[in-house]
Amino acid sequence: QVRLVESGGGSVQAGGSLRLSCVASGDTYTRYPMAWFRQAPGAEREGVAGIDSDGSTRYADSVKGRFTISKDNTINTLYLQMNSLKPEDTAMYYCAAETGFLEEWELLRVDMFREWGQGTRVTVSS
């Protein structure tokens, strides 16, 4: 059974940092396109950062320069390093994976990913 399990969320003050992790089991999903999405209360789910099988990355404009996505294929783990956090980063963060081919511009599209984790909550206070 395929599973994506996120961890690392929590509560921090503005300007702080968190590192999210997503462990993939059941398949070597880190060899496929993977991404982080987030959903704030009352808002639609949005793409935050994506990484392709060749390591190329794509970021939402709102997090460029502050967030870094990476993966360790040897332990099937996807990461999201989040620095300089802002209150508007408060959301549930989800890890997603897709076994098919994606163009770079598709890495932040919710409808391009079929495998999802349960999410980890991030709260940033001012």
Side-chain angles (χ1 to χ4, degrees), residues 48-67:
V48 175
I51 185 166
D52 209 340
S53 55
D54 64 359
S56 58
T57 58
R58 187 174 180 90
Y59 295 92
D61 289 343
S62 58
V63 306
K64 281 181 182 177
R66 300 188 298 121
F67 290 12

Side-chain angles (χ1 to χ4, degrees), residues 44-122:
E44 293 186 354
R45 193 169 297 189
E46 63 176 1
V48 175
I51 185 166
D52 209 340
S53 55
D54 64 359
S56 58
T57 58
R58 187 174 180 90
Y59 295 92
D61 289 343
S62 58
V63 306
K64 281 181 182 177
R66 300 188 298 121
F67 290 12
T68 303
I69 188 171
S70 62
K71 60 182 179 176
D72 187 336
N73 290 344
T74 63
I75 56 172
N76 272 357
T77 302
L78 179 74
Y79 301 102
L80 184 68
Q81 177 66 44
M82 305 187 295
N83 299 327
S84 303
L85 283 161
K86 304 176 181 180
E88 50 264 44
D89 295 318
T90 294
M92 185 72 82
Y93 283 71
Y94 298 91
C95 167
E98 171 55 37
T99 57
F101 172 79
L102 294 180
E103 300 286 351
E104 182 181 336
W105 63 271
E106 296 176 315
L107 286 175
L108 299 184
R109 287 193 52 169
V110 173
D111 59 345
M112 290 291 108
F113 289 84
R114 287 177 285 184
E115 304 293 340
W116 292 85
Q118 294 301 306
T120 184
R121 187 173 301 279
V122 172

Side-chain angles (χ1 to χ4, degrees), residues 8-69:
S11 297
V12 296
Q13 290 190 327
S17 298
L18 285 172
R19 188 175 82 156
L20 306 184
S21 298
C22 171
V23 179
S25 61
D27 199 344
T28 52
Y29 271 101
T30 51
R31 300 188 186 279
Y32 300 114
M34 297 188 75
W36 288 97
F37 293 82
R38 66 186 181 188
Q39 188 167 17
E44 293 186 354
R45 193 169 297 189
E46 63 176 1
V48 175
I51 185 166
D52 209 340
S53 55
D54 64 359
S56 58
T57 58
R58 187 174 180 90
Y59 295 92
D61 289 343
S62 58
V63 306
K64 281 181 182 177
R66 300 188 298 121
F67 290 12
T68 303
I69 188 171

Side-chain angles (χ1 to χ4, degrees), residues 2-15:
V2 173
R3 290 188 68 201
L4 299 174
V5 180
E6 304 95 333
S7 63
S11 297
V12 296
Q13 290 190 327

